[in-house]
Amino acid sequence: MDLGASTLLCPPLELTDKKEHGVSPSDSSFFKKQPNIPMEFIWAKGEVGHAHEELREPVVDLEGFFSGDEVATQHAAMLVRSACLNHGFFQVINHRVDPHLITVAHDHMEAFFKLPWSKKLRAQRKPGSLWGYSGAHADRFSLKLPWKETLSFGFHENGSESVVEDFFKSTLGEEFEQTGLVYQKYCQAMKDLSLVLMELLAISLGVDRLHYRKFFEDGSSIMRCNYYPPCQEPGLAFGTGPHCDPTSLTILHQDQVGGLEVYVNNKWRTIRPRCDALVINLGDTFKALSNGRYKSCLHRAVVNRYKERRSLVFFVCPRENKVVTPPQDLVCREGTRKYPDFKWSDLLEFTQKYYRADDATLQNFTKWLLSSNPPNHH
Ligand SMILES: C=C1C[C@]23C[C@H]1CC[C@H]2[C@]1(C)CCC[C@@](C)(C(=O)O)[C@H]1[C@@H]3C(=O)O
Ligand SMILES: O=C(O)CCC(=O)C(=O)O
Ligand SMILES: [Fe+2]
C-alpha cells in the first residue's frame, strides 16, 4: 500500500507545518520556570479539567495463573473480560517482574533525564524515526504540545542480539552500557509478561488459549520512558493528551506522584500509583484483533505544579508486516468483521506521518485505509 499517495484524510494541522517561530526543539528552555507556559502547550478551555474520582478496580492477581491453578486462572480471565468489555483497563499484581529491576529501571530513567541537554541530544530522535530522545515532540507538532520529555527505543527478540544495549551504546556511548543492560532486561521481562497476558486475553475471549501468544511471540515492541517536569500552569496543559494507544497492549509502571487518568463510564478517573502493580491497557490493534469486542482504553496524563513525574511504558506490538486479523472462531460467532485486515506497519506509519494518535485513531485509520484500498464488490 502506498501511504504517501491518495490519502483522502487531511493530516491534522499541527502535524503539517515545520515552525519557524515558537517552541524550538533545540533547547529545553520551554520547560523552565517562567510565569506562564508557552502558548504551544495550551489546550482549549474545558479540555483540561482534572478528574476527582479514583478508579480502584480491577486488580488482577496473576499468582493463580503462574502456579497453574485452573480455578484462579478462570477467575482472573473473568475479571480481564469484564474490564476489557467495559473500558480496556486493569492492573496486575503478583506479576513476577522483579521489583528490584523496576526500581533500577526508574533510577536509570531519572539519571538520563537529569543529564545536561547537550548529552540528551546525542540520542535525539531523527526525523521520521520513533527511536530516541524528544522534548515535547516540538519537532513533530506545533499545537497542544505534551509537557514531557521522552526516550523511546525498540525491542525484539532475535537470537543473541541485544538490541536495547546496542541502542544505548551507539547513541549515548559506552558509559551507557549498564543502562542498556538494565533496559534490555526490563524489556525482556515486559515481553514475557505480555505473552502471559495474551493467554489470559485468549481465555477471556473463549478462543484458542495460545492464539494471541503465538501471534505476538515474534513481535517488535516499543519501550518509552516518560519524564513530566513540574508545570507552572497545570490547568492549561497535558503531560500526554487524551488518546488510545494505537499499539496492542500497554504495560506501564508509574512512580508515586500520580497523574494517569482513564475514561470509564463517561468520566475521567485517577489511577492511584501502587508500586507493586503494573498498569495494563488495551490499544487499538488489540481492539481490531478482538473484532471490536474489547475496548481500547482512552487515557491521559496530567501534570503537576510542584512535582516531576516519571513512567515506564512498554507498548506491545506485532511484527511489523504481520496482518492484523481476528481469530476465525470469534468472527464466526459474531457473523461480521468490524475492521478490515491491516498490517501493523501501516497503522504505525499512519500515526507517525499523517495522524497524531488520539481517541479516534482506529476509526480514522480504517476510513483512510478503505479510501485508498476500496474493497472489491462483485
Ligand atoms: C505508535 C506509537 C504512537 C505513539 C508512540 C507509539 C505508542 C503510543 C503513541 C502515543 C504515546 C499516544 C499519545 C500521543 C503520542 C504522540 C505521544 O504523546 O507521545 C503518541 C506516540 C507518538 O506518535 O509518538
Ligand atoms: O505517563 C503516563 O501515565 C501515561 C503515558 C501514556 O499514556 C503513553 O505514553 O502512551
Ligand atoms: Fe498511552
Side-chain angles (χ1 to χ4, degrees):
M1 183 180 54
D2 178 7
L3 283 163
S6 59
T7 166
L8 296 180
L9 188 80
C10 288
L13 198 64
E14 65 263 34
L15 262 181
T16 57
D17 53 342
K18 272 240 165 228
K19 321 162 272 305
E20 279 165 18
H21 309 288
V23 169
S24 152
S26 60
D27 64 64
S28 64
S29 58
F30 46 83
F31 290 131
K32 293 265 156 60
K33 283 269 180 246
Q34 30 187 320
N36 303 109
I37 61 172
M39 53 83 71
E40 286 84 351
F41 289 92
I42 298 178
W43 288 64
K45 270 210 178 83
E47 281 180 309
V48 196
H50 291 195
H52 300 292
E53 274 174 65
E54 185 187 331
L55 180 70
R56 300 196 121 253
E57 304 289 332
V59 175
V60 181
D61 188 341
L62 295 182
E63 188 51 45
F65 177 94
F66 282 117
S67 51
D69 177 337
E70 217 23 65
V71 176
T73 300
Q74 289 301 332
H75 178 69
M78 197 241 335
L79 288 178
V80 166
R81 180 180 171 81
S82 76
C84 295
L85 288 172
N86 193 14
H87 43 68
F89 170 91
F90 57 99
Q91 305 200 54
V92 291
I93 55 167
N94 293 318
H95 43 63
R96 300 212 173 165
V97 178
D98 180 358
H100 179 67
L101 178 60
I102 300 179
T103 305
V104 175
H106 272 281
D107 293 346
H108 280 263
M109 165 163 57
E110 181 170 357
F112 173 79
F113 287 113
K114 285 217 163 91
L115 288 174
W117 188 255
S118 57
K119 265 220 164 146
K120 287 190 272 196
L121 282 188
R122 283 199 213 158
Q124 192 178 22
R125 204 186 67 87
K126 305 255 174 349
S129 163
L130 192 59
W131 313 141
Y133 169 76
S134 157
H137 296 338
D139 54 336
R140 294 170 64 198
F141 310 132
S142 331
L143 296 171
K144 298 179 176 180
L145 297 184
W147 192 264
K148 67 176 173 184
E149 295 177 45
T150 59
L151 178 67
S152 315
F153 42 92
F155 174 80
H156 59 262
E157 287 165 284
N158 198 357
S160 59
E161 248 186 72
S162 311
V163 279
V164 178
E165 228 184 303
D166 294 347
F167 167 83
F168 276 88
K169 284 196 287 188
S170 64
T171 54
L172 289 157
E174 287 295 325
E175 72 261 40
F176 283 82
E177 183 177 12
Q178 192 53 34
T179 308
L181 261 166
V182 167
Y183 286 120
Q184 182 77 42
K185 267 201 194 156
Y186 187 84
C187 287
Q188 188 64 58
M190 292 298 116
K191 171 74 188 285
D192 295 347
L193 175 61
S194 75
L195 297 181
V196 163
L197 295 171
M198 290 301 167
E199 274 192 55
L200 265 185
L201 283 162
I203 298 169
S204 75
L205 279 164
V207 302
D208 172 20
R209 179 175 176 143
L210 297 181
H211 180 86
Y212 295 117
R213 172 184 258 277
K214 286 190 194 142
F215 185 80
F216 284 97
E217 240 152 21
D218 61 353
S220 202
S221 295
I222 301 166
M223 175 73 208
R224 180 172 277 192
C225 305
N226 286 311
Y227 167 64
Y228 303 99
C231 178
Q232 54 276 40
E233 294 187 288
L236 298 180
F238 277 120
T240 301
H243 67 282
C244 300
D245 295 334
T247 41
S248 301
L249 181 128
T250 305
I251 309 179
L252 178 145
H253 193 271
Q254 55 173 335
D255 67 13
Q256 288 305 299
V257 174
L260 175 63
E261 299 184 352
V262 296
Y263 198 67
V264 173
N265 297 335
N266 300 316
K267 263 192 210 146
W268 285 103
R269 315 281 186 122
T270 60
I271 305 300
R272 189 201 296 209
R274 45 180 295 181
C275 58
D276 62 335
L278 287 161
V279 169
I280 312 294
N281 68 264
L282 294 192
D284 292 335
T285 301
F286 200 90
K287 183 178 187 180
L289 282 170
S290 74
N291 201 30
R293 290 284 281 155
Y294 279 0
K295 289 207 173 120
S296 166
C297 172
L298 179 59
H299 59 287
R300 65 188 190 183
V302 300
V303 280
N304 189 294
R305 186 186 295 273
Y306 307 105
K307 292 182 184 163
E308 53 184 32
R309 172 173 181 263
R310 280 174 284 269
S311 62
L312 290 164
V313 195
F314 187 77
F315 298 101
V316 180
C317 313
R319 201 184 63 219
E320 297 213 338
N321 60 357
K322 218 104 171 197
V323 177
V324 174
T325 192
Q328 204 44 50
D329 33 351
L330 206 58
V331 179
C332 287
R333 243 184 282 154
E334 315 222 314
T336 49
R337 281 290 300 276
K338 196 76 199 289
Y339 302 101
D341 281 356
F342 62 87
K343 280 191 281 165
W344 160 239
S345 55
D346 294 333
L347 177 53
L348 179 61
E349 196 171 6
F350 185 66
T351 66
Q352 298 309 298
K353 282 196 183 162
Y354 307 113
Y355 191 88
R356 179 172 173 178
D358 62 7
D359 57 344
T361 312
L362 185 57
Q363 208 183 319
N364 284 320
F365 170 68
T366 305
K367 262 195 227 158
W368 173 79
L369 199 66
L370 293 176
S371 65
S372 44
N373 264 338
N376 280 332
H377 290 295
H378 299 288

